[in-house]
Amino acid sequence: MRTNDRLRAARLDRGWLSQEKAAEEISTAGRLALGDPYFTVSVRTYRRWESDRPGWPRPDTAAALRAAFGLGPEHLGFTPPPGHPTRLRHAEEGSSMERRSFLAAGSVAALGMVSPADLRPRDIDPALVGYFYQQLGGHYAADMMLGPRDLIGTVTEQYRLISDLTRAAGGTVREELIQVGVTYAALAGWLHQDAGLWDSTAYWHGIAQMDAQMLGNADLTAYILSNMARLRSDLGDGRAAVDLCGQGLSERHRLSPRIRVNLMHQQAHGHSLLGERTAVDRLLDEASAVVDAADPAVPWGGVHHNAYFFEVQRATCYGRMGLHEEALCIWDRINADMPPAARRDTGVYLARQAAAYAATGEPEHAVTLAAESAGIAAQTRSARHRKELDTLRESMSRWRNDPIGGRLVQALKPLADGNP
């Protein structure tokens, strides 16, 4: 029997394994978004939506779907009626080039124009703030498993919804919605960065910075500076990364331990690009001493309590500085015990470990790790991951005409076979 595969995939992405669970969650999201304590989606209705003829939902139901999934009905497999403007707006993704354009344009679609009706005051349930933070945690987890491209549309659409609610809210609820909006804009920036969409990455950082400045919140503003520094490091501009983090740390007395940790470890990456090992070690040691004071209840910014976080930063910095033997010792420890949920990061770390093996004259180990890493990269479609494997390919160029060179080509074959 044919089904609405888009809605089914979105349900499973949320971790809702049954249709009954999906109906319950959409009902909850709808009651919050609509301010209607009696709004309900029945299991029978939801089952019809996952059929091959889901029709087009009523406006209130469409709002509930948008709140629950962060996507409009047109992105969930529903069929717009003839003449509906959605048919004109979404001549969807007919080629890979159109798909890339859709991803890059997500920021514009998420903001849109503001109509006078958007500014009309409404009673916004404060529980929505907690709901969006709950969703944010799910996005962080999904990013680790799926990579960026499957999440960009969802996160940018949810930012648009948060912005709409913010304009209608007042008082404390408005401030809290602005704050959660900053975290969504920051995540959108990261997803675009991981997908290699540099221009839209910078755009989202600008949106996050503008929203943070509306609140005058020192932590949020410094958090965005640390994200901008991460972008600069990925682009190879170590000096800019150091300066951006230095600007944030200039007011460290106003910052929480969590944000000081973010700034210090990002500044360490900037110093590694400049070859300054003493500064790298000092900053990572200071950050690891501060992290235990970070409040784990704050749902954004990364607490970094896991045992391997600072070792990852150190090994990455050492690899950049050519300290391959020291980096390799750390990567061997880390990759022996990575959690299954950190799939995308595991692939990146395996590529860095392989590069260290190649640099220390052990190409056989490098090729074995490269094959595992390339398989993950083909699935997550992370541009940053592919860049690590390109670096590995370059570091093994001296074996290009040897049998080991042919094995490397075969190991990296999933990258050529997978989607861009």
Side-chain angles (χ1 to χ4, degrees):
M1 184 178 73
R2 295 177 60 191
T3 63
N4 180 354
D5 291 333
R6 286 195 178 188
L7 182 59
R8 182 175 182 274
R11 166 170 65 83
L12 295 176
D13 180 47
R14 289 292 184 278
W16 303 336
L17 301 183
S18 69
Q19 294 179 332
E20 290 78 5
K21 178 65 172 175
E24 176 187 339
E25 293 290 344
I26 295 168
S27 297
T28 300
R31 285 193 287 271
L32 288 170
L34 299 167
D36 179 357
Y38 303 106
F39 177 84
T40 302
V41 171
S42 70
V43 176
R44 180 179 179 182
T45 296
Y46 183 84
R47 286 174 180 157
R48 175 170 55 80
W49 291 347
E50 280 203 13
S51 74
D52 62 335
R53 294 183 179 180
W56 187 253
R58 301 190 316 257
D60 59 341
T61 308
L65 286 164
R66 193 184 298 276
F69 291 102
L71 294 169
E74 63 273 19
H75 294 297
L76 293 169
F78 290 84
T79 305
H84 193 281
T86 297
R87 290 199 172 192
L88 301 177
R89 292 200 306 269
H90 298 280
E92 296 230 60
E93 308 144 22
S95 66
S96 60
M97 177 63 75
E98 289 173 350
R99 173 63 175 163
R100 287 192 291 270
S101 298
F102 170 76
L103 292 171
S107 54
V108 177
L111 292 177
M113 296 297 292
V114 179
S115 71
D118 293 331
L119 302 175
R120 188 175 300 133
R122 291 167 51 195
D123 289 329
I124 305 299
D125 192 327
L128 272 171
V129 176
Y131 167 78
F132 284 120
Y133 276 129
Q134 182 184 36
Q135 293 279 301
L136 185 69
H139 296 328
Y140 288 154
D143 173 43
M144 296 283 279
M145 293 295 293
L146 299 173
R149 292 178 180 268
D150 292 318
L151 291 174
I152 284 177
T154 299
V155 172
T156 54
E157 181 68 13
Q158 284 195 307
Y159 175 83
R160 186 205 61 77
L161 175 58
I162 293 167
S163 294
D164 288 349
L165 294 170
T166 299
R167 284 189 286 269
T172 303
V173 175
R174 178 177 182 275
E175 292 180 3
E176 291 177 348
L177 283 170
I178 292 174
Q179 178 167 304
V180 74
V182 172
T183 66
Y184 271 77
L187 176 57
W190 160 250
L191 293 172
H192 283 84
Q193 182 173 337
D194 198 26
L197 302 168
W198 307 112
D199 290 346
S200 48
T201 300
Y203 180 86
W204 276 104
H205 286 329
I207 293 298
Q209 187 177 41
M210 177 178 65
D211 287 356
Q213 288 174 340
M214 282 196 291
L215 290 178
N217 183 303
D219 263 7
L220 281 175
T221 302
Y223 175 53
I224 302 310
L225 285 174
S226 73
N227 290 335
M228 294 167 70
R230 178 170 59 185
L231 171 60
R232 290 293 188 166
S233 290
D234 269 8
L235 294 173
D237 191 348
R239 178 54 59 195
V242 169
D243 290 345
L244 284 166
C245 292
Q247 181 180 342
L249 288 168
S250 67
E251 297 194 40
R252 66 176 65 209
H253 62 285
R254 299 179 58 200
L255 304 178
S256 68
R258 164 190 305 266
I259 301 305
R260 294 206 305 274
V261 168
N262 273 334
L263 289 165
M264 286 188 285
H265 90 257
Q266 290 298 339
Q267 192 171 52
H269 284 290
H271 282 293
S272 74
L273 287 163
L274 301 173
E276 297 169 351
R277 175 176 181 167
T278 300
V280 168
D281 287 334
R282 173 181 57 79
L283 285 161
L284 292 179
D285 289 344
E286 289 181 9
S288 63
V290 170
V291 73
D292 286 339
D295 181 2
V298 178
W300 56 273
V303 183
H304 313 310
H305 272 306
N306 59 63
Y308 55 87
F309 177 81
F310 289 105
E311 288 295 273
V312 166
Q313 312 313 312
R314 200 177 301 272
T316 302
C317 290
Y318 283 2
R320 284 200 192 102
M321 294 185 290
L323 304 172
H324 299 296
E325 290 186 1
E326 292 175 76
L328 183 56
C329 290
I330 301 174
W331 286 128
D332 284 345
R333 292 198 303 271
I334 291 169
N335 287 332
D337 197 31
M338 282 293 291
R343 182 165 177 75
R344 192 267 320 280
D345 285 354
T346 297
V348 172
Y349 302 161
L350 287 170
R352 292 172 182 171
Q353 184 183 18
Y357 270 116
T360 54
E362 298 187 61
E364 294 83 4
H365 286 308
V367 169
T368 299
L369 295 169
E372 185 177 356
S373 178
I376 297 173
Q379 294 173 7
T380 63
R381 296 175 294 168
S382 164
R384 296 172 69 255
H385 188 169
R386 286 170 176 260
K387 182 180 177 182
E388 297 285 351
L389 290 169
D390 287 341
T391 299
L392 170 62
R393 185 187 287 111
E394 292 172 9
S395 70
M396 292 192 64
S397 59
R398 55 181 155 156
W399 292 287
R400 182 178 296 116
N401 298 321
D402 291 347
I404 196 69
R407 286 178 54 198
L408 178 65
V409 171
Q410 189 63 30
L412 299 180
K413 191 172 183 295
L415 298 182
D417 295 341
N419 294 323

